[in-house]
Amino acid sequence: MAMALRALIIEDDVADAELVIRELGRERELTVEIAATAAATREALARGRWDLILADWSIPGFGALEVLAIVRELGLDTPVIIVSGSITEDVAVSAMRAGARDFVRKDRLSRLVPAIERELHEAEARSARRRAEREVRDSAECYRQLFESSPLPMWVYDTDTLGFLAVNDAALRRYGYTRDEFLARALTDLRPAEDHVRLRENVAERDDGLRIWRHLTKSGETLAVEITAHDLAFEGRRARLVLANDVTQRQRLEDQLRQSQKMEAVGRLAGGIAHDFNNILSVILSYGETLLEVLEPGELRDDIEQIRSAGQRGAALTRQLLMFNRQQLVEPRVLQLNDVLADMTRMLQRLLRADIELAVRAAPDLGSIHADQGTIEQVVMNLVVNAGDAMPAGGKLTVTTANVVLDRGYAADHPGVTPGRYVMLEVRDTGTGMDDATLARIFEPFFTTKERGRGTGLGLSVVFGIVQQCQGHIWVDSEPGGGTAFKIYLPRVDAIAADQPQPRRAATLYGSETVLLVEDDAQVREVALAILRRHGYAVIAACDGDEAVRSCEAHSHPIHLLLTDMVMPGITGHELAERLLRIRPGMKVLCMSGYSDAGGAGSGAAIARLQKPFTAESLATSVRHVLDGGSTPGPQR
Ligand SMILES: Nc1ncnc2c1ncn2[C@@H]1O[C@H](COP(=O)(O)OP(=O)(O)OP(=O)(O)O)[C@@H](O)[C@H]1O
Ligand SMILES: [Mg+2]
């Protein structure tokens, strides 16, 4: 049995209405209402859903045409069938024009049911079609929104013309174009010219693998972009959908991380080598000096001078290597960078050829830094010499200082940078500049592009080490042909730069005190022993911590000084000093090392240090200085 039919009957004659109802009721269950005025019709239509309206053609004051008008006005698609006593052709035409679905004469009511069935069937088909259309529209809209609101830049391009066919908001934002501008362009406009050949090959091969490309924004910024692409038909054309993931920032951070890991590994290697060389050079230099003291002027003496000067060159080199590895002994104090520069300017001017113009722009209210003056001078020197070398045909060299604040945003882009207040030193030249391959390696020890004999490639590695040691940060801007700017940021300190007294120089190098010498390298021990004896000291030598402790306990006379290597198997110089000081509290301590921080700050008191490689003079000076009550390291060379 079919569902109950909801029919609204517009009729003023109750008998006629009943006839109609009876006819309908033969076949189907009915829900019926009768209305005879415009107001009642409106009210009934507003109240519920009707499957069908049966309207008498003419009721006094109301009629089927008005019913049709009301149905149209309410935006309903309920079928209206006209029931009428007699129908002329004119009436039929005007009723059908007004939207009636059919006509049934009152004397032929038997036609009513088939007409209704057909009408209901058609109405059902109409609404099914409308539903389907709406679903298509909705789902198209849904996908359009997915495309539009995707946070990843996306576009569709024509694979024949490479012109863009569609683009989403994220792409417009990232690439800086308006929609019209973007759609007027082609894929080639996003790529640097040198990539165009590869781009066409890539499109032709339908290569849709994940890879990284360079893209240009409207303002000319270069992006690193990971592309995922997929072929499709779009508006009847062969096209490709592209998803562009901007990995510029990620790549930059990865590059910087790789760079800092590389520098750390190279630094460890350099530090290790320098440590061993220091011991070897101590031996060479000390024996050289001993021989020079005893030999008369003559041929042999010149040869030994040569050995010594080669040894000194080696010592200078290992010192630089240690500086790169942040292990050089330094004496940081509060400094004014502008003062350091002012002291150096004349020297720098002499260093540079006449065709290079040097300008120093010092910020008047520059903050102070905490650093070792000598190492900062070395930074300036190395950068200025490099800048001079980069301007073979002359040019302009500008050294600038400034107070700068590196904020969180900057720190996020530059791994290892702590946000805060810094003093900046910039050395800018108008020279040859560098390509990316050179830039990637400049801080490596021994990397140089200069001809043999002109550069060792240590300059910038030393700068790097010093800046790291100061907890600073270095940044380079350079382009082939566009000059170079090195920017060095050193943490700003609030203390006022104060002139601190230089360590007092010992008046004599000789003494007669007892020294306990602890050194695991036999040759170094021998040489130190010889030097100390020559300077009048009584020496107890030990090859490690255990022997030192035994000797200390066995010796019944005072021991005035413990001279110990800092880095030994089993025990550090600091630990040994702590142990021995418990037995002999008055004893002075002097540690030998090429490292500035080896052994850590274990013992509370500052322990005097002697830098390796030592010479006879530096050893004797430091020993005398410590015995006379100085705790900071004496002159070191
Ligand atoms: N201002 C600059 N302009 C162009 N290239 C530079 C500049 N500074 C450094 N470089 C490049 O970096 C390389 C390494 O510099 P670095 O100072 O470490 O060594 P070097 O100058 O070659 O040798 P050294 O400093 O030991 O005498 C140089 O060889 C050069 O290629
Ligand atoms: Mg250099």
Side-chain angles (χ1 to χ4, degrees):
M1 170 114 185
M3 289 225 308
L5 180 74
R6 296 171 54 86
L8 178 62
I9 298 176
I10 315 294
E11 178 65 85
D12 60 337
D13 184 328
V14 179
D16 281 359
E18 272 174 1
L19 275 176
V20 168
I21 291 167
R22 190 175 319 133
E23 193 57 39
L24 291 180
R26 262 197 243 280
E27 298 278 334
R28 303 183 65 144
E29 226 178 286
L30 283 182
T31 307
V32 181
E33 215 176 296
I34 301 170
T37 63
T41 304
R42 279 179 192 283
E43 196 271 331
L45 287 174
R47 188 158 18 84
R49 226 196 96 243
W50 299 96
D51 297 320
L52 183 72
I53 300 171
L54 293 169
D56 189 7
W57 177 246
S58 57
I59 302 170
F62 190 41
L65 288 177
E66 280 99 324
V67 173
L68 287 164
I70 292 171
V71 167
R72 264 203 316 279
E73 180 194 315
L74 293 179
L76 300 172
D77 61 356
T78 320
V80 179
I81 294 177
I82 296 192
V83 182
S84 169
S86 63
I87 290 171
T88 65
E89 209 164 291
D90 288 351
V91 168
V93 168
S94 58
M96 296 304 268
R97 278 210 184 118
R101 304 292 310 178
D102 206 350
F103 266 95
V104 177
R105 273 166 55 169
K106 287 189 178 171
D107 55 356
R108 302 253 180 86
L109 276 185
S110 58
R111 263 202 66 225
L112 191 56
V113 170
I116 287 175
E117 291 299 340
R118 196 194 60 237
E119 210 30 65
L120 289 179
H121 189 72
E122 280 181 15
E124 174 58 31
R126 269 201 310 278
S127 91
R129 193 172 59 238
R130 266 199 304 276
R131 223 175 15 250
E133 280 168 2
R134 198 168 48 239
E135 276 167 13
V136 168
R137 241 190 349 262
D138 286 354
S139 104
E141 172 62 13
C142 169
Y143 281 104
R144 200 185 65 80
Q145 278 191 8
L146 282 181
F147 177 79
E148 276 305 330
S149 63
S150 157
L152 284 182
M154 290 165 90
W155 56 78
V156 177
Y157 70 90
D158 186 317
T159 44
D160 295 321
T161 65
L162 303 189
F164 291 118
L165 303 174
V167 59
N168 76 352
D169 289 342
L172 299 177
R173 271 197 304 276
R174 192 63 194 100
Y175 288 79
Y177 292 106
T178 66
R179 187 171 301 275
D180 287 344
E181 284 170 343
F182 198 97
L183 292 178
R185 284 175 164 70
L187 196 52
T188 40
D189 295 315
L190 293 193
R191 297 278 177 80
E194 58 268 30
D195 285 359
H196 286 181
V197 175
R198 266 181 69 206
L199 162 64
R200 289 192 191 275
E201 286 168 5
N202 190 241
V203 172
E205 284 166 10
R206 309 177 144 262
D207 180 352
D208 55 2
L210 187 71
R211 59 182 56 212
I212 294 179
W213 292 96
R214 286 187 302 164
H215 277 185
L216 294 175
T217 66
K218 185 181 177 186
S219 65
E221 186 193 350
T222 305
L223 307 178
V225 190
E226 227 168 46
I227 293 293
T228 323
H230 172 66
D231 281 336
L232 44 72
F234 189 85
E235 292 170 349
R237 300 193 230 193
R238 292 193 304 159
R240 192 165 289 171
L241 170 69
V242 171
L243 228 121
N245 188 12
D246 178 7
V247 294
T248 316
Q249 168 93 340
R250 193 184 81 196
Q251 260 203 344
R252 195 160 55 219
L253 293 180
E254 282 172 356
D255 284 351
Q256 287 176 7
L257 187 67
R258 254 198 304 281
Q259 174 77 0
S260 73
Q261 283 169 340
K262 182 176 78 184
M263 297 309 280
E264 193 152 333
V266 174
R268 264 201 304 279
L269 181 70
I273 292 173
H275 175 70
D276 286 345
F277 270 103
N278 274 339
N279 281 341
I280 297 166
L281 289 167
S282 293
V283 175
I284 295 174
L285 285 172
S286 305
Y287 279 116
E289 270 177 33
T290 308
L291 283 175
L292 285 174
E293 275 172 24
V294 299
L295 283 176
E296 293 301 318
E299 189 126 321
L300 204 53
R301 212 186 143 82
D302 289 348
D303 292 351
I304 291 167
E305 286 281 8
Q306 291 294 325
I307 293 175
R308 186 172 68 163
S309 92
Q312 276 164 345
R313 282 213 309 280
L317 211 70
T318 54
R319 241 192 324 276
Q320 288 191 312
L321 276 179
L322 286 173
M323 218 178 269
F324 166 64
N325 194 29
R326 290 169 265 156
Q327 294 187 332
Q328 165 76 324
L329 281 175
V330 293
E331 289 174 74
R333 59 194 180 93
V334 176
L335 278 185
Q336 247 299 329
L337 185 57
N338 286 345
D339 296 346
V340 178
L341 282 177
D343 286 350
M344 295 181 74
T345 309
R346 276 195 47 202
M347 187 264 291
L348 295 177
Q349 223 125 28
R350 246 179 295 132
L351 205 70
L352 294 166
R353 297 188 318 277
D355 57 359
I356 292 172
E357 182 194 338
L358 173 69
V360 178
R361 298 218 188 99
D365 54 348
L366 194 68
S368 301
I369 55 172
H370 189 247
D372 174 270
Q373 169 140 6
T375 58
I376 295 301
E377 286 170 354
Q378 199 162 2
V379 166
V380 176
M381 269 274 289
N382 290 354
L383 293 180
V384 166
V385 168
N386 280 352
D389 288 348
M391 298 188 283
K396 184 159 184 186
L397 200 168
T398 317
V399 180
T400 311
T401 61
N403 293 318
V404 293
V405 174
L406 302 182
D407 58 17
R408 273 170 201 284
Y410 185 90
D413 269 0
H414 301 79
V417 175
T418 318
R421 302 190 310 152
Y422 288 82
V423 169
M424 184 195 75
L425 165 72
E426 187 195 73
V427 177
R428 180 181 286 276
D429 65 55
T430 54
T432 54
M434 287 173 265
D435 56 20
D436 287 346
T438 305
L439 263 176
R441 300 191 56 195
I442 49 173
F443 295 117
E444 287 175 28
F446 303 113
F447 173 78
T448 180
T449 57
K450 295 170 189 172
E451 63 205 58
R452 254 176 181 287
R454 282 220 34 232
T456 48
L458 278 177
L460 286 179
S461 61
V462 165
V463 169
F464 182 87
I466 292 170
V467 172
Q468 294 268 302
Q469 189 165 42
C470 297
Q471 262 116 52
H473 162 59
I474 188 162
W475 194 249
V476 194
D477 277 325
S478 186
E479 247 175 73
T484 301
F486 279 89
K487 290 183 183 153
I488 285 171
Y489 301 90
L490 300 168
R492 182 173 171 176
V493 294
D494 287 322
I496 309 270
D499 275 333
Q500 288 171 2
Q502 289 294 311
R504 190 159 48 89
R505 215 187 158 88
T508 168
L509 299 180
Y510 293 85
S512 55
E513 289 93 337
T514 302
V515 177
L516 171 57
L517 166 68
V518 192
E519 165 66 60
D520 60 319
D521 185 309
Q523 270 191 303
V524 176
R525 194 169 61 241
E526 285 296 311
V527 104
L529 182 74
I531 294 167
L532 290 170
R533 291 226 167 109
R534 246 187 304 127
H535 286 83
Y537 297 100
V539 184
I540 307 163
C543 68
D544 59 21
D546 290 341
E547 193 182 343
V549 174
R550 278 199 304 278
S551 307
C552 202
E553 284 166 350
H555 192 72
S556 53
H557 297 288
I559 296 177
H560 301 93
L561 175 76
L562 166 67
L563 172 63
T564 174
D565 191 16
M566 192 83 94
V567 187
M568 293 179 292
I571 190 165
T572 68
H574 275 290
E575 289 161 356
L576 179 64
E578 267 177 27
R579 270 176 71 182
L580 293 186
L581 282 171
R582 272 185 240 131
I583 311 173
R584 290 174 183 268
M587 187 174 63
K588 300 273 174 49
V589 180
L590 175 60
C591 280
M592 304 177 275
S593 171
Y595 300 84
S596 65
D597 53 358
S603 70
I607 283 187
R609 286 183 290 202
L610 167 66
Q611 195 194 334
K612 280 184 176 178
F614 54 77
T615 63
E617 194 203 348
S618 74
L619 174 59
T621 309
S622 293
V623 164
R624 195 59 257 159
H625 180 72
V626 174
L627 281 170
D628 288 344
S631 64
T632 50
Q636 271 149 30
R637 262 154 250 158

